[in-house]
């Protein structure tokens, strides 16, 4: 056999061996891209640092716990038969698994405090949402973005009308007064979370009804918490419905042709750095504008990024960088964030305290009404019913920014984050206005 023939045969063998190796590698069970064996070692080391009291303080220790335990719970949830098919899989297990660890005392208090501070005062939730808003809007088709306009408020109004209507009907059937069904259950669920919803709403109730705000907060929080649970469950069910009935779903597109533009360029670290900078800058600009304009900084940020995209005011490198940074953040830190949401924002005591059959039926009715109203009116203005129901319906019925991440993750539609934020922030402001108008009529 000649030298060239030997080289050719050797090259063929190497190619075949490489294919076999790649096939075996893909067949391996992995967590976060790591073989299960190596991830187990990382998990074991993390747990040792946690339970021996040697976890580093601050961002490093908190992010380590959130990433490793979030990925572990997410991996488990994606393999539990009923949960992975109908209840959101890894997303819901990451949230409620971590919430249970807090409830059952399985996490040391120092870890709970560290994760709570990192999520809230440390700003990790804002950091994550800023990346998703900037990257997803800049990655959209600008011509179709202009078509959305004020039409998006139609399904938001649909969610409000549907939720209040179903709340009144279910409340009547199970013995609740219309006043309790609407004021105590429906409006708090639709109100945009704790900071932007329940707390100012309690102040509105106190002004009209006389008791101190703390009294109303204790009543509103269980409805808010249980509504968030149902919103996550409904998100997973809507995703399953979309898979079975493709005509109802845009697979993450709000209207036909409205999508994240797929960039052919490979990932570039320098561009991702530009994307990080753009996300931080737009977030800061939202807060700057908020000092002069009475809207939530998230809402102002969304408007600003959309205007920049529509008017084509920034270079393509920034657009590509923001899109790449968004994809990195969504892929790498979503389960970590969901773990943090479970620790810092999900109070199982409040959820369990509300578990009477009447209360559950009424809360489920409110969330279902929001879904139905948003889907029907969204369809009327040309939106896909499932995307409309998820972004305008469920993101009105969850706990604000944390609920938006949980709902969109369970629905596998993270690209809808800008619209979820509109529903949570501007929709929440609408509910506060509506509460002030409705309370005098019902008392």
């Amino acid at each position: 056999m000649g030298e060239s023939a030997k080289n050719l045969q050797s090259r063929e063998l190497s190619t075949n061996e490489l294919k076999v190796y790649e096939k075996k590698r893909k067949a391996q069970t992995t967590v976060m891209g790591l073989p299960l064996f190596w991830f187990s070692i990382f998990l074991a080391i993390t747990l040792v640092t946690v339970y021996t009291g040697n976890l580093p303080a601050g961002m490093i220790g908190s992010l380590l716990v959130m990433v490793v335990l979030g990925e572990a719970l997410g991996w488990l949830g994606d393999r539990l038969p009923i949960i992975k098919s109908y209840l959101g899989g890894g997303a819901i297990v990451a949230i409620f698994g971590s919430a249970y660890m807090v409830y059952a005392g399985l996490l040391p208090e120092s870890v709970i405090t560290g994760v709570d501070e990192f999520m809230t005062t440390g700003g990790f939730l804002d950091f994550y949402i800023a990346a998703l808003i900037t990257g997803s809007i800049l990655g959209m088709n600008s011509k179709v973005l202009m078509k959305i306009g004020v039409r998006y408020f139609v399904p938001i109004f649909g969610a409000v009308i549907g939720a209040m209507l179903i709340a009144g009907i279910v409340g009547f059937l199970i013995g609740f007064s219309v006043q309790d069904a609407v004021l105590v259950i429906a409006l708090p669920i639709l109100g945009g979370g704790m900071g932007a919803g329940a707390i100012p709403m309690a102040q509105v109730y106190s002004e009209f009804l006389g008791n101190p705000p703390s009294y109303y907060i204790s009543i509103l929080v269980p409805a808010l918490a249980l509504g968030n649970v149902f919103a996550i469950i409904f998100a997973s069910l809507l995703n399953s419905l979309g898979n079975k009935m493709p005509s109802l779903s845009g697979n993450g597109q709000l209207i036909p042709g409205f999508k994240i533009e797929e960039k052919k360029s490979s990932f570039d670290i320098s561009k991702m750095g530009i994307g990080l900078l753009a996300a931080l800058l737009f977030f800061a600009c939202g807060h700057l504008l908020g000092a002069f304009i009475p809207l939530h900084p998230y809402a102002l940020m969304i408007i600003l990024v959309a205007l920049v995209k529509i008017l084509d005011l920034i270079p393509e490198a920034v657009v590509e960088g923001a899109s790449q940074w968004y994809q990195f953040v969504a892929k790498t830190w979503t389960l970590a964030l969901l773990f943090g949401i479970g620790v810092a924002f999900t109070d199982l005591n409040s959820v369990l305290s509300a578990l009477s059959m009447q209360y559950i039926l009424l809360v489920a009715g409110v969330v279902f009404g929001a879904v139905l109203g948003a889907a029907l009116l969204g369809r009327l203005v040309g939106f896909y019913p499932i995307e409309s129901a998820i972004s305008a319906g469920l993101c009105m019925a969850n706990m604000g920014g944390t609920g938006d991440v949980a709902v969109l993750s369970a629905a596998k539609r993270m690209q809808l984050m800008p619209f979820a934020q509109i529903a949570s922030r501007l929709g929440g402001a609408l509910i506060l206005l509506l509460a002030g108008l409705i309370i005098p009529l019902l008392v």
Side-chain angles (χ1 to χ4, degrees), residues 1-11:
M1 184 181 293
E3 189 67 28
S4 61
K6 287 182 179 180
N7 288 339
L8 180 62
Q9 185 180 41
S10 175
R11 194 179 301 116

Side-chain angles (χ1 to χ4, degrees), residues 279-362:
L280 299 178
L281 186 62
F282 277 116
F283 184 79
C285 287
H287 276 262
L288 179 63
L289 292 172
F292 307 100
I293 303 172
L295 289 175
H296 194 282
Y298 277 157
L300 293 169
M301 178 185 177
I302 292 166
I303 294 169
L304 182 61
V305 179
L307 284 174
V308 165
K309 175 64 178 180
I310 291 169
L311 299 175
D312 195 21
L313 297 178
I314 55 176
E316 187 63 22
V318 177
V319 174
E320 289 186 9
S323 179
Q324 291 188 11
W325 176 243
Y326 148 76
Q327 293 175 61
F328 170 79
V329 168
K331 183 174 179 60
T332 308
W333 288 332
T334 294
L335 286 170
L337 187 80
L338 295 178
F339 183 91
I341 288 171
V343 171
F345 298 101
T346 307
D347 185 356
L348 282 189
N349 277 312
S350 296
V351 175
L352 294 174
S353 68
L355 290 183
S356 71
M357 184 55 65
Q358 287 181 316
Y359 202 91
I360 291 172
L361 287 174
L362 190 50

Side-chain angles (χ1 to χ4, degrees), residues 4 24 59 79 81 124 132 150 155 197 206 233 265 282 304 308 333 345 389 393 412 415 421 423 428:
S4 61
K24 287 182 178 179
M59 183 183 80
R79 282 156 183 79
F124 184 62
L132 264 63
V150 294
S206 176
I233 293 172
S265 58
F282 277 116
L304 182 61
V308 165
W333 288 332
F345 298 101
K412 297 178 171 56
Q415 62 268 49
Q421 286 294 302

Side-chain angles (χ1 to χ4, degrees), residues 8 32 40 56 59 73 96 118 123 214 223 237 248 264 284 304 317 319 331 382 397 401-402:
L8 180 62
M32 205 181 178
S40 299
M59 183 183 80
L73 290 171
F96 292 104
F118 181 57
S214 58
L237 294 175
L248 299 178
K264 298 298 183 182
L304 182 61
V319 174
K331 183 174 179 60
T402 57

Side-chain angles (χ1 to χ4, degrees), residues 99-304:
Y100 177 77
M101 292 177 75
V102 174
Y103 174 78
L106 300 179
L107 282 178
E109 191 62 37
S110 60
V111 175
I112 296 171
T113 301
V115 171
D116 190 310
E117 291 177 350
F118 181 57
M119 287 288 294
T120 53
T121 57
F124 184 62
L125 177 64
D126 290 333
F127 181 76
Y128 180 96
I129 292 176
L132 264 63
I133 289 175
T134 304
S136 56
I137 292 180
L138 291 182
M140 289 174 182
N141 184 306
S142 58
K143 292 181 180 179
V144 184
L145 178 58
M146 295 174 64
K147 296 180 181 179
I148 297 294
V150 294
R151 281 195 294 169
Y152 188 66
F153 286 92
V154 175
I156 288 179
F157 277 111
V160 174
I161 294 168
M164 292 176 63
L165 183 62
I166 298 295
I169 294 172
V170 174
F172 174 78
L173 293 175
I174 63 176
F176 269 71
S177 67
V178 173
Q179 174 182 328
D180 288 341
V182 173
L183 296 183
V184 179
I185 308 296
L187 291 184
I189 290 174
L190 298 172
M194 280 293 295
I199 292 175
M201 189 173 291
Q203 293 170 335
V204 172
Y205 284 11
S206 176
E207 180 181 340
F208 282 100
L209 304 178
N211 293 305
S214 58
Y215 169 80
Y216 296 106
I217 287 177
S218 66
I219 296 174
L220 303 181
V221 165
L224 207 64
L226 194 57
N228 198 57
V229 173
F230 276 110
I232 297 168
I233 293 172
F234 273 93
S236 180
L237 294 175
L238 284 171
N239 179 54
S240 298
L241 178 63
N243 293 334
K244 293 177 181 177
M245 301 182 68
S247 63
L248 299 178
S249 172
N251 294 315
Q253 299 178 36
L254 194 58
I255 62 175
F258 187 82
K259 62 183 179 181
I260 302 297
E261 295 173 346
E262 297 291 337
K263 301 293 180 184
K264 298 298 183 182
S265 58
S266 58
F267 278 90
D268 185 319
I269 293 176
S270 63
K271 285 183 179 178
M272 290 176 66
I274 295 171
L276 164 62
L277 178 60
L280 299 178
L281 186 62
F282 277 116
F283 184 79
C285 287
H287 276 262
L288 179 63
L289 292 172
F292 307 100
I293 303 172
L295 289 175
H296 194 282
Y298 277 157
L300 293 169
M301 178 185 177
I302 292 166
I303 294 169
L304 182 61

